[in-house]
Amino acid sequence: MINAIITFSVRNKLVIALMVLALIGWGAYSFTQIPIGAVPDVTNNQVQVITTSRNLSTQDIEQFITYPIELEMANIPGVTEIRSVSKFGLSVVTVVFEDDMGTYLPRQLIAEKLKSAQEKIPVGFGTPMMGPITTGLGEIYQYTLETKPGYQYSPMELRTIQDWIVKRQLSGIPGVVEVITCGGLLKQYEVAVNPERLNALNIAITEVFEALESNNDVAGGGYIERYDESYFVGGEGLIGTLEDIRSIVVTQRGGVPVLIKDIAEVQFGSATRFGAITGNGEGEKVLGQVMMLKGANSNQVIGRVKARVAEIQQSLPEGVYINPFLERSELIAKTTSTVAENLGLGALIVIFVLVLLLGNPRAGLIVASVIPLSLLFGISMMNVYGVAANLMSLGAIDYG
């Protein structure tokens, strides 16, 4: 068999040359398409079901939320493991599937079960939702919002900038599945009711809730045709300012309307939080985490994120800038550089040994030419089978 291959190669040099050129072209193309990462992602095929409920203790979370969800997920086909974490106000149920089921089929099966699980959870205790399509290595870019010297922004203002400017512009990047915000104060409109005034006017607290809810709405009324035009009728009742809240009518006493401002103080406040982010001994920070889609090319995604961040910098308020402190591209560059160095040194050592043993530089170089061709063939097959280029896979090729 080997003799036949050698004979064919010697007699058909043009065919062999064309095949070598085709292999080089295929390998070069695969090298530009193969996903590049630092380390292999060994996360199993899992889906997380997350439920938040700010008013429940750990025991109640486990009894009324975590257990019903686990019970429903146990009947899904292909499930190999179910584990959960119950904390104050938070339930996380992790469902592990068989690897050959893929990424999206397990999520479809869980989505079908979430409806029945929701029916077993008491009303108002929370709504279970699936976590993002990412893995433990999905945190590819992290940053904080900083202020330049001479500018002062409160944690609430920075959190608002992150939620309404930075996060919205980072969303929609190919390969980015979610942008997570941590730290700062979540801005809220607060109505601090005065109990003495409520008792004096004989107003129930439920009336205040109903008034606030019914006066922050939009109603459609169809349309009116006039000649060749149509006029759409609608009622705009959305609240826009603190003064709008103060002017809401709760009820009336003796023909005089009782407004929110007559029984409560309306002001800006912040949501209850369970932690904070600090950095460099400079106090509280607002942090953002960019999560990568499972199976995406991390090197390409980071490049798109960095390009978008440069655009976002131009739209931020004066004195505010994005300070990235963790990005995967530097680790990927160092990893690939190490592997490339090892490949180069290994090739030189092999060439030296071949030339030394064969005693003929031309024969040694001809035999050593198999090294780059084998590398290109290996990378091409990695691209065909969806194996990412990282420290482990390229290291295995290097060793081979």
Side-chain angles (χ1 to χ4, degrees):
M1 182 65 180
I2 296 178
N3 291 333
I5 294 175
I6 294 175
T7 303
F8 177 82
S9 302
V10 171
R11 294 179 179 178
N12 300 274
K13 297 180 180 179
L14 179 60
V15 175
I16 297 301
L18 293 176
M19 293 175 63
V20 170
L21 292 176
L23 175 59
I24 293 174
W26 183 31
Y29 172 77
S30 300
F31 191 79
T32 61
Q33 300 298 316
I34 189 171
I36 299 177
V39 292
D41 192 345
V42 296
T43 307
N44 50 20
N45 190 14
Q46 62 178 239
V47 180
Q48 289 186 326
V49 180
I50 304 172
T51 311
T52 58
S53 181
R54 295 182 177 271
N55 302 322
L56 295 183
S57 65
T58 303
Q59 181 178 353
D60 293 334
I61 288 286
E62 176 70 26
Q63 179 179 355
F64 296 110
I65 297 179
T66 302
Y67 178 73
I69 294 176
E70 286 182 338
L71 195 61
E72 287 295 325
M73 301 305 157
N75 299 322
I76 298 178
V79 174
T80 61
E81 180 185 0
I82 298 178
R83 58 179 184 268
S84 63
V85 175
S86 298
K87 297 183 179 180
F88 177 79
L90 176 66
S91 168
V92 179
V93 178
T94 302
V95 186
V96 181
F97 289 84
E98 299 173 355
D99 291 336
D100 58 359
M101 293 189 66
T103 301
Y104 298 99
L105 177 58
R107 298 181 68 88
Q108 179 181 350
L109 296 174
I110 287 183
E112 296 173 356
K113 287 290 185 178
L114 282 182
K115 182 63 178 178
S116 56
Q118 177 65 42
E119 295 177 353
K120 297 182 179 180
I121 298 175
V123 178
F125 276 28
T127 302
M129 297 181 296
M130 284 186 288
I133 312 174
T134 186
T135 64
L137 296 178
E139 298 179 2
I140 60 171
Y141 194 88
Q142 296 187 23
Y143 61 90
T144 57
L145 286 185
E146 307 283 352
T147 56
K148 298 178 181 179
Y151 294 90
Q152 292 291 335
Y153 286 88
S154 66
M156 181 182 294
E157 292 173 331
L158 291 176
R159 174 64 182 260
T160 303
I161 293 172
Q162 160 65 17
D163 288 339
W164 293 91
I165 299 179
V166 180
K167 182 177 179 178
R168 293 196 170 205
Q169 295 189 56
L170 284 176
S171 301
I173 299 176
V176 174
V177 68
E178 188 176 18
V179 180
I180 301 175
T181 302
C182 302
L185 298 174
L186 181 60
K187 183 179 180 180
Q188 288 185 342
Y189 293 82
E190 291 186 352
V191 178
V193 180
N194 189 323
E196 296 179 356
R197 296 181 184 178
L198 284 181
N199 292 333
L201 295 171
N202 194 23
I203 299 176
I205 190 66
T206 54
E207 296 182 62
V208 180
F209 280 106
E210 293 173 358
L212 290 170
E213 183 178 358
S214 60
N215 282 271
N216 185 32
D217 200 359
V218 176
Y223 63 93
I224 299 175
E225 292 185 355
R226 181 176 175 83
Y227 303 114
D228 58 343
E229 296 180 345
S230 297
Y231 297 89
F232 292 93
V233 179
E236 295 286 343
L238 293 178
I239 295 173
T241 63
L242 293 177
E243 191 58 36
D244 292 341
I245 301 178
R246 296 187 182 103
S247 302
I248 291 177
V249 178
V250 180
T251 184
Q252 62 176 353
R253 292 292 183 268
V256 178
V258 178
L259 307 181
I260 289 290
K261 63 182 179 181
D262 297 329
I263 59 174
E265 294 292 333
V266 182
Q267 58 194 3
F268 288 119
S270 60
T272 303
R273 60 177 182 172
F274 304 97
I277 302 294
T278 61
N280 300 326
E282 299 173 355
E284 190 169 354
K285 303 286 185 180
V286 174
L287 179 142
Q289 295 179 343
V290 179
M291 306 297 294
M292 182 183 69
L293 178 68
K294 179 181 179 182
N297 189 327
S298 59
N299 205 32
Q300 294 181 359
V301 176
I302 292 174
R304 300 188 192 109
V305 171
K306 293 169 69 174
R308 182 67 60 85
V309 167
E311 298 176 2
I312 298 175
Q313 295 277 19
Q314 309 300 323
S315 62
L316 292 177
E318 187 177 0
V320 179
Y321 66 96
I322 298 175
N323 177 34
F325 65 90
L326 186 149
E327 57 169 296
R328 193 77 60 78
S329 59
E330 183 176 355
L331 179 60
I332 294 174
K334 290 184 177 181
T335 302
T336 53
S337 176
T338 301
V339 174
E341 181 181 356
N342 293 339
L343 286 171
L345 292 176
L348 291 176
I349 293 173
V350 171
I351 292 173
F352 175 76
V353 172
L354 288 173
V355 172
L356 183 64
L357 292 179
L358 295 177
N360 188 327
R362 181 173 179 270
L365 293 175
I366 292 175
V367 176
S369 64
V370 176
I371 296 176
L373 295 178
S374 301
L375 175 63
L376 291 174
F377 179 76
I379 291 177
S380 301
M381 297 307 295
M382 288 170 59
N383 186 43
V384 170
Y385 288 98
V387 179
N390 51 60
L391 185 62
M392 295 296 292
S393 59
L394 293 179
I397 290 181
D398 177 22
Y399 180 78

